[in-house]
Amino acid sequence: MTTETVSSKPDNTKLWGFLFAVYIIWGSTYLGMKIATEIVPPFLLSAFRFLTAGTLMAFISRSSEKQLPSPKQVLSAAFVGLMLIGIGNSSTALAVHYMPSGLVALIVAAIPVWFIGFDWAFFSKQRPTVMTVTGIIVGLAGLFLLFNPFAAATSRNYPLWPIAILAGGCACWALGSLSVSKLTMPAPMQSAAIQMLTGSVFCFVISAVAEPGAWDTLQHISARTFSAYVYLVLIGSLVGFTSYSWLTRNAPPRLLSTYAYVNPVVALFLGWAIGHENLSSQALLACVIVIGGVVLMTLGKRKA
C-alpha cells in the first residue's frame, strides 16, 4: 500500500509494459508453483523461494535506501510478511500442490470479499454498497458452481480440503494488507526484504513440523523443478514486485485493479495449455461469474 502521489502523465509505453508484466507474471506463478511442488513440498519450496528473493531484495535495497529501519519498523514489516507471505502465499503453494492451478487462481481472485469484510469490521467501518454486496454474492455463486461440494467426489480428481487452507491464507493476506496503513513501515524495498525473509523463516518452521522428509526431496530435484523455482524467485518475486511497485506510484487505480481480473484468466489458460489441466465448460462459466463478481465488488468499493 502506498501514499505516494500518482503521476499525472506516466510514460504510456512503460505503463503498459509493467501492467502487461503483472498480468502475465502473477498469472503464471500459479503454474510455476504447481510445477515446483511436483517434487519439493510446498512449505519448503516457499521457504527457499523467499529466502533467496528476500536476500536479493535486501542487497538491492542497500544501494537505494541508505537509512536503516528502526526496530518498530522491522517488527511491523515482519508482521505483514508473516500474514502475506508466511501464511498467505504458502497456503497458495499448498493449494496448487493438490488442486489445478487455474482453479486456485479463481479462489484468490475472490479475495476482495475478505478485504471488504475486514475493512468494514475493523478498519474504515464503512458499510459495503449494494453493488459491492451483489458482487460478493455473484462471486460466491461462481465459486459454488466451480467446486459444488454436493457433487460426487468421483467427479473430481482433487480434494476439497485445501480450499479451507487457502481461504484462511486469503483472509490473512487481506488482514495483513489492510494493517499496513496502521503500521510504521520501512522504505519499500527494505519492507519487501523483511517481509520475504520473515515469511521464509515461518515456512521453514512449518515445513519442519508438517513435512517430514521434505529435505530428502531436494536430492531428486529435476531441471523442470529447478527452472520453475528460478522463475518464481527472479521473475515472480523480483520482477513482479518491481513492476507492481512502479504501477502503484504511476498507474490510475482503475487501471491497476484490472490485474485481479486478468490473472485468473492467464492462470486458467496456462494451466490448460502447459499444465494439461482440464478446462470444462462449467469451469469457464464459473470463471466468468467469479470475475464478474470481482468487477462489481471493485466498482462498488470505488464508488463508496
Side-chain angles (χ1 to χ4, degrees), residues 38-248:
E38 289 174 348
I39 294 177
V40 182
F43 284 105
L44 187 61
L45 170 74
S46 297
F48 277 114
R49 172 188 175 183
F50 290 107
L51 174 63
T52 305
T55 302
L56 291 173
M57 186 64 75
F59 278 111
I60 293 172
S61 70
R62 290 186 62 183
S63 63
S64 59
E65 299 166 348
K66 303 297 184 182
Q67 185 174 353
L68 293 176
S70 67
K72 184 177 181 179
Q73 290 175 321
V74 171
L75 289 175
S76 296
F79 169 76
V80 174
L82 173 64
M83 300 298 282
L84 269 63
I85 294 174
I87 302 176
N89 195 279
S90 63
S91 69
T92 303
L94 176 69
V96 299
H97 179 65
Y98 292 98
M99 298 172 59
S101 59
L103 303 190
V104 173
L106 273 181
I107 299 176
V108 176
I111 203 171
V113 173
W114 295 104
F115 273 91
I116 292 164
F118 285 139
D119 187 51
W120 180 21
F122 304 116
F123 294 90
S124 71
K125 305 292 185 179
Q126 185 179 59
R127 175 179 290 186
T129 64
V130 173
M131 184 181 292
T132 297
V133 174
T134 303
I136 291 174
I137 295 173
V138 170
L140 293 178
L143 291 177
F144 183 87
L145 174 65
L146 189 65
F147 299 108
N148 185 3
F150 299 113
T154 54
S155 64
R156 295 185 300 267
N157 59 358
Y158 55 87
L160 289 180
W161 65 263
I163 296 177
I165 305 296
L166 183 58
C170 289
C172 289
W173 181 281
L175 189 58
S177 298
L178 288 167
S179 299
V180 170
S181 63
K182 306 293 183 181
L183 299 172
T184 304
M185 301 292 289
M189 288 189 178
Q190 289 176 345
S191 178
I194 294 169
Q195 289 177 42
M196 291 179 185
L197 293 174
T198 302
S200 172
V201 171
F202 176 82
C203 289
F204 273 121
V205 173
I206 297 300
S207 178
V209 173
E211 296 174 338
W215 287 78
D216 295 335
T217 64
L218 299 179
Q219 60 185 318
H220 303 296
I221 289 179
S222 63
R224 171 183 166 93
T225 303
F226 185 73
S227 297
Y229 168 76
V230 171
Y231 180 83
L232 289 171
V233 171
L234 298 181
I235 307 301
S237 296
L238 296 182
V239 177
F241 170 81
T242 302
S243 300
Y244 186 76
S245 177
W246 186 90
L247 288 168
T248 60

